[in-house]
Amino acid sequence: MTRRRIPIAILTSLQLMLGASALADTFTGTLGGKPVVVELSTDQHGQPDGGQYGYLSQGRVLLLRKSERAGLLEEYRVKSPGDEVVSGYWSLRRAGRGWEGQWLKQPGANGLPLHLEPAALPEETTQALGQTIQPSLRPELFNLLLAQSPALAIRTGKTQSQAGLRITPLRWQRGEALVAASVQLAEPAQPGDAAVNAALRLLLQGSIVDAEYCSAVAGDFQDFQLKSTITYASTRYLNIQTQTESNCGGPHPNAGYGSSVYDRQSGQEIALGKQVYQIDGPQQATFRQLVAATLKRQLSKDERGDECYAAYLADPAGTEYPWLRLNGIDGKGVIVSLGYAHAEQACGLDLTLPYASLARFRRTDAPAHFGKP
């Protein structure tokens, strides 16, 4: 049983900026002849009302929002809380499936030409993605394209050992506040290891752009620290744990972790709660009872009366907290994280449920090999 802080709510940069319901598309093109990647959201009339963009030569993220001046977007960055710097204006009109217009230093001034077309990933990136993170491709398209900027280059470290494997550290850093780190398998030994390496690098690149976004929205208070490590490895599986700490201008800093499980034979990520186990819907109450019974056995008598757990142990299916999620694997079984509201984050912990105890929740179409040595 491992105590954890409440897992961070992982949001794409667009969700952070515009809300989960916003519709957005990614474009590539030129601004003043320089290559840019642009993410635009549109209102109910199909007109741009916000977004973000970056020059491939710089990698920095700039924010866009609807201006008080009709028909314009305002380009800005946060300098400090309550102090925003407006650096220009965009005037756009539809051009086929894309957009064209001008970047203006001031409304009414002469501007730089803008040309945007719907974005597509380079073929080598598409091949690297394969089946691994395809479901999340669309919201990450802006990140993956801007991450090609030479300014966002990733450094490699000296080969070392992690979870019994030889790994190569990957790291990107800007100043003391923005850091993103991950790993590569230094000695691919299984058929899917190369695909896993490609997926991990792409995910790291996306995180780097998230860090740049944090810088744009938080100003002096920017802080983004992300580190992915291999916490469990066998000839079949890898468990990659990503720890994140960030303060990007919201009312509270975020801290927590999430895990991804990769099949080293196919190179694909295994979504435990979608491909292997059914723990929601009609199964949710039974699953909560199983976790509560396991927790009760591992807590002392005094701990069972703690306000963190008392209500849950007394009525596992009837309490709102904790939130339960399948959060990776280790050598004994599946890790379940118990998460709580921000004010009770010290209550969060992890439990490992043996594979055998989860047999009743196994999906009929689950991978036959999962849970076997």
Side-chain angles (χ1 to χ4, degrees):
M1 180 173 67
T2 306
R3 295 183 182 275
R4 295 278 182 187
R5 285 173 291 182
I6 183 172
I8 187 172
I10 303 297
L11 301 174
T12 67
S13 55
L14 181 66
Q15 288 174 319
L16 284 166
M17 178 172 58
L18 301 171
S21 62
L23 298 176
D25 285 304
T26 302
F27 302 87
T28 54
T30 57
L31 193 169
K34 296 181 179 179
V36 291
V37 179
V38 182
E39 191 171 56
L40 290 176
S41 68
T42 53
D43 60 21
Q44 59 184 346
H45 304 295
Q47 295 302 307
D49 64 357
Q52 59 184 332
Y53 85 101
Y55 291 93
L56 279 176
S57 60
Q58 300 173 4
R60 300 288 181 89
V61 172
L62 290 162
L63 308 176
L64 300 169
R65 65 188 174 197
K66 183 174 285 188
S67 173
E68 294 181 355
R69 298 173 184 267
L72 296 178
L73 292 177
E74 197 171 77
E75 172 190 294
Y76 73 102
R77 285 179 68 92
V78 175
K79 185 176 181 181
S80 61
D83 183 10
E84 297 171 352
V85 177
V86 176
S87 50
Y89 298 84
W90 287 36
S91 173
L92 292 174
R93 58 185 178 276
R94 270 291 184 186
R97 295 176 58 226
W99 298 88
E100 62 181 30
Q102 286 188 313
W103 178 92
L104 312 168
K105 182 63 176 177
Q106 293 293 339
N110 292 326
L112 300 174
L114 264 164
H115 300 281
L116 303 176
E117 295 292 337
L121 285 170
E123 183 177 354
E124 60 270 23
T125 305
T126 304
Q127 292 175 349
L129 284 167
Q131 300 293 318
T132 310
I133 57 173
Q134 202 69 20
S136 63
L137 171 60
R138 197 65 199 170
E140 292 299 321
L141 186 55
F142 173 83
N143 283 22
L144 293 174
L145 287 167
L146 186 58
Q148 307 304 313
S149 166
L152 301 182
I154 298 170
R155 299 198 308 270
T156 59
K158 293 182 178 180
T159 300
Q160 55 190 254
S161 179
Q162 198 170 96
L165 298 175
R166 299 293 287 169
I167 62 98
T168 301
L170 303 178
R171 185 178 181 87
W172 170 88
Q173 184 168 354
R174 185 156 65 78
E176 295 295 324
L178 306 180
V179 179
S182 187
V183 297
Q184 297 274 266
L185 296 171
E187 300 170 353
Q190 303 301 324
D193 282 354
V196 173
N197 274 349
L200 291 176
R201 191 175 187 90
L202 288 169
L203 290 171
L204 175 60
Q205 289 177 315
S207 298
I208 291 169
V209 178
D210 282 339
E212 290 287 1
Y213 174 82
C214 180
S215 175
V217 300
D220 295 340
F221 285 83
Q222 61 186 272
D223 183 29
F224 187 95
Q225 310 287 321
L226 177 143
K227 184 177 183 181
S228 294
T229 57
I230 301 174
T231 58
Y232 171 74
S234 70
T235 56
R236 183 89 210 196
Y237 305 113
L238 292 177
N239 191 83
I240 310 293
Q241 187 179 103
T242 300
Q243 187 79 31
T244 309
E245 296 184 14
S246 64
N247 186 352
C248 300
H252 301 288
N254 284 315
Y257 87 104
S259 289
S260 299
V261 179
Y262 289 92
D263 182 344
R264 298 182 66 188
Q265 303 305 306
S266 68
Q268 296 185 20
E269 183 175 354
I270 299 175
L272 298 178
K274 294 181 179 179
Q275 296 174 268
V276 184
Y277 299 110
Q278 179 76 48
I279 63 169
D280 52 9
Q283 294 279 64
Q284 186 178 80
T286 305
F287 180 70
R288 291 181 69 84
Q289 289 166 355
L290 169 64
V291 175
T294 304
L295 177 64
K296 188 175 182 179
R297 289 194 297 270
Q298 297 189 25
L299 293 176
S300 67
K301 183 176 181 180
D302 290 341
E303 288 174 322
R304 292 172 200 161
D306 190 291
E307 62 180 358
C308 289
Y309 315 115
Y312 172 53
L313 293 176
D315 184 13
T319 55
E320 180 180 2
Y321 299 121
W323 300 302
L324 304 181
R325 63 185 180 125
L326 304 180
N327 198 16
I329 62 174
D330 60 22
K332 297 180 179 179
V334 177
I335 300 169
V336 178
S337 289
L338 285 70
Y340 292 79
H342 188 87
E344 300 173 312
Q345 60 182 342
C347 297
L349 54 79
D350 292 342
L351 295 171
T352 297
L353 299 184
Y355 292 117
S357 71
L358 289 167
R360 77 187 86 169
F361 303 101
R362 191 178 177 90
R363 295 175 181 267
T364 56
D365 58 348
H369 55 75
F370 189 83
K372 298 179 181 179

